[in-house]
Amino acid sequence: MTASLQCLALLLSFYSCQGLQFNYIEEETEFLNINSKYGSLWPLPQKVNFSDVSLKLSGVSFRIVDAKESSAGASCGLLQNAYRRYFDYIFGGAKKQWPVKGRRTGDSELQELQVWITAPESDCDSYPTVFSNESYELTVAQSVAVLKAPKVWGALHGLETFSQLVYKDEFGSRNINVTTVSDFPRFAHRGILLDTSRHFLPLKVILANLETMAMNKFNVFHWHIVDDPSFPYLSKTFPQLSQKGAYHPYTHVYTPADVKMIIEFARLRGIRVIPEFDTPGHTRSWGRGQPDLLTPCYSGSSPSGTFGPVNPIVNTTYDFMAQFFKEISSVFPDAYVHLGGDEVDFTCWKSNPDIQAFMKQQGFGGDFTKLESFYIQRLLDIVGQTNKGYMIWQEVFDNGVKLKPDTIIHVWKGNRQQYQNEMAQVTSAGYHTLLSTPWYLNYITYGQDWQSHYKADPQDFKGTDKQKELVIGGEACLWGEYVDGTNLTPRLWPRASAVAERLWSDKDVTNINDAYNRLSLHRCRMVERGIPAEPLFTSYCPHEYKGI
């Protein structure tokens, strides 16, 4: 792992940014230069109680250890890895802590953070799932702090919260106040979508953003790995897909070792990796390496030499899909795979005489959504045989495809009223759903667009309580037409942090002024940890970004 990924830096305190000038008015919102009573906590925990009692932390004496009652001990590599990571966050990775000039003496010192996994099975060697328990309780008391969590996933979040509570006083010493926290996420699915087809993202960029996701308590990496422009996934079963479909067959592919590294790096941070292989549209790059997969387009009565979506009328298509998704099911351990199904252009299908004859034979008339549904239905049956659940974009539901009860419908289209109506329809039909429409972070504006991201709520639609319980969360999406490794991170952060708090914190956490002050400090903390998160507005960080 590179030094930039280790993010060895000193933590900010909310006391160290008193000089920030946040008097800014946008959309009738005035941000005052007043520190939040919650300091720099982000996302805001469910319950927090502070006291005025301050404790010192010393890199020489402070330790993060397993509680003797914990079901996860020294053999739990996931926790041991996290202890080292957060010790480095807190103390800057220094091998030796030198005395601070002018440091006061006689103050109480916090000696330990004891991590106690309370459930008999810690999940230490498992992968996180949509059902994972991410709750935790943190008590910072005199001399000892205790972090209790049923599973390791909650402990990871608790370690992040603990690190955010540490601040530096005017003497340069690290302090933490006596505090109690009781916390759990509002939604089980809190995701970031990254697109690695339109621009190839280097491995270190993906890993750095997984690291940043953990800082914001996101727990799903939706990997939109292939699309029309390129096919960077190196398939063992069909190596010709990337050999001919990637931008470069050696430098711009994700090898099996790369994929394995990403999945494990994410697991150690409590993050699921859900791959998306979108069909029947968005598949031009597939066709370069798999002959006869795509539909030949016609100009009049002759082939035009161009190709359209996947050809849904030949058996070879389904033979290929069966073999391909069998591989995918073995490579990616998550219980779900995203199958796409959006934005299918019917123009090529309409031009093809064989397709026209098939439509007539099936009694589809001129309704090409029925042909799309025919394909999707067969694909869903194929994927279902791999014992994977599936997520699909909303068009598949809109077109009336028969879906398994555990299907997750991903809503992405329309304005606010339209996506609210879609959420109501999907949940009324009894399906679980997640929202992305208001969180397309590839769209940028001049100003603080994080506010609109912060105000959007996936349960803000007309429906019963039972319907709203079917909303499992949402995803912030960063599509790659104008994004690559040079600008992805600052475009994503801290704008995605606004989505993180909406998906984690209580629904009544809506104070935009308080959010601004906390998010400004959280952004500075990310910068100090080595993440080039862009500023919210005019301000400064005590530790500015120094580049790579």
Side-chain angles (χ1 to χ4, degrees), residues 231-235 238-249 253 289:
F231 197 104
Y233 172 76
L234 201 168
S235 167
F238 299 100
Q240 71 275 13
L241 290 171
S242 60
Q243 188 72 24
K244 297 183 178 180
Y247 286 130
H248 190 283
V253 295

Side-chain angles (χ1 to χ4, degrees), residues 219-244:
N219 68 348
V220 175
F221 171 35
H222 176 169
W223 192 356
H224 188 86
I225 191 167
V226 302
D227 207 295
D228 279 331
S230 73
F231 197 104
Y233 172 76
L234 201 168
S235 167
K236 291 182 178 180
T237 310
F238 299 100
Q240 71 275 13
L241 290 171
S242 60
Q243 188 72 24
K244 297 183 178 180

Side-chain angles (χ1 to χ4, degrees), residues 91-233:
F91 297 104
K95 300 299 181 183
K96 181 175 182 180
Q97 186 183 48
W98 297 97
V100 179
K101 185 177 181 181
R103 178 173 175 176
R104 296 176 295 183
T105 60
D107 295 305
S108 298
E109 189 169 293
L110 186 65
Q111 300 290 334
E112 282 187 347
L113 171 60
Q114 298 179 359
V115 179
W116 181 358
I117 306 302
T118 60
E121 299 292 333
S122 66
D123 279 3
C124 193
D125 297 320
S126 302
Y127 291 91
T129 73
V130 71
F131 303 109
S132 292
N133 189 328
E134 299 177 276
S135 65
Y136 67 93
E137 294 182 357
L138 175 63
T139 302
V140 180
Q142 297 282 357
S143 74
V144 174
V146 177
L147 170 58
K148 296 172 65 175
K151 301 287 185 177
V152 293
W153 318 118
L156 292 173
H157 298 314
L159 286 166
E160 175 62 34
T161 297
F162 180 86
S163 75
Q164 294 184 9
L165 291 170
V166 177
Y167 60 92
K168 289 169 65 179
D169 63 18
E170 65 271 27
F171 299 98
S173 299
R174 293 163 184 80
N175 289 20
I176 190 169
N177 283 23
V178 170
T179 308
T180 60
V181 178
S182 179
D183 202 12
F184 56 88
R186 181 182 172 199
F187 293 104
H189 187 118
R190 307 176 307 281
I192 295 287
L193 179 150
L194 297 182
D195 170 10
T196 58
S197 173
R198 291 171 175 88
H199 283 97
F200 180 83
L201 298 179
L203 188 62
K204 68 177 183 179
V205 173
I206 295 176
L207 298 182
N209 279 278
L210 288 169
E211 189 84 22
T212 317
M213 286 172 62
M215 298 176 195
N216 291 269
K217 297 185 172 71
F218 280 105
N219 68 348
V220 175
F221 171 35
H222 176 169
W223 192 356
H224 188 86
I225 191 167
V226 302
D227 207 295
D228 279 331
S230 73
F231 197 104
Y233 172 76

Side-chain angles (χ1 to χ4, degrees), residues 211-411:
E211 189 84 22
T212 317
M213 286 172 62
M215 298 176 195
N216 291 269
K217 297 185 172 71
F218 280 105
N219 68 348
V220 175
F221 171 35
H222 176 169
W223 192 356
H224 188 86
I225 191 167
V226 302
D227 207 295
D228 279 331
S230 73
F231 197 104
Y233 172 76
L234 201 168
S235 167
K236 291 182 178 180
T237 310
F238 299 100
Q240 71 275 13
L241 290 171
S242 60
Q243 188 72 24
K244 297 183 178 180
Y247 286 130
H248 190 283
Y250 307 123
T251 62
H252 286 59
V253 295
Y254 301 105
T255 67
D258 293 335
V259 173
K260 187 176 181 179
M261 177 186 293
I262 288 169
I263 292 170
E264 179 62 9
F265 191 92
R267 186 189 78 86
L268 292 174
R269 288 151 183 78
I271 298 170
R272 303 162 57 200
V273 178
I274 299 179
E276 180 182 355
F277 291 91
D278 189 1
T279 65
H282 294 279
T283 48
R284 283 202 310 270
S285 66
W286 301 54
R288 298 182 195 124
Q290 185 63 21
D292 303 323
L293 179 64
L294 304 185
T295 303
C297 305
Y298 277 67
S299 177
S301 59
S302 302
S304 65
T306 60
F307 295 87
V310 166
N311 191 336
I313 69 170
V314 293
N315 289 331
T316 53
T317 289
Y318 302 104
D319 294 338
F320 165 80
M321 291 296 173
Q323 293 181 67
F324 181 76
F325 280 101
K326 182 180 179 181
E327 174 187 327
I328 296 306
S329 68
S330 66
V331 170
F332 292 90
D334 198 82
Y336 282 86
V337 60
H338 203 302
L339 298 177
D342 64 315
E343 296 182 319
V344 181
D345 186 347
F346 298 146
T347 305
C348 184
W349 281 353
K350 290 178 180 179
S351 73
N352 185 293
D354 295 329
I355 297 284
Q356 295 169 7
F358 184 84
M359 291 280 289
K360 183 176 181 180
Q361 176 186 346
Q362 295 292 322
F364 292 162
D367 187 354
F368 282 84
T369 63
K370 292 182 178 179
L371 180 61
E372 179 187 8
S373 297
F374 173 86
Y375 167 79
I376 293 289
Q377 191 66 68
R378 290 195 63 176
L379 179 65
L380 297 185
D381 291 341
I382 286 170
V383 175
Q385 292 174 8
T386 68
N387 295 318
K388 291 285 189 185
Y390 41 75
M391 302 166 58
I392 43 89
W393 296 110
Q394 69 181 74
E395 288 97 321
V396 178
F397 168 81
D398 294 340
N399 291 341
V401 175
K402 183 180 179 182
L403 303 170
K404 293 194 302 184
D406 65 344
T407 301
I408 298 174
I409 314 297
H410 198 162
V411 174

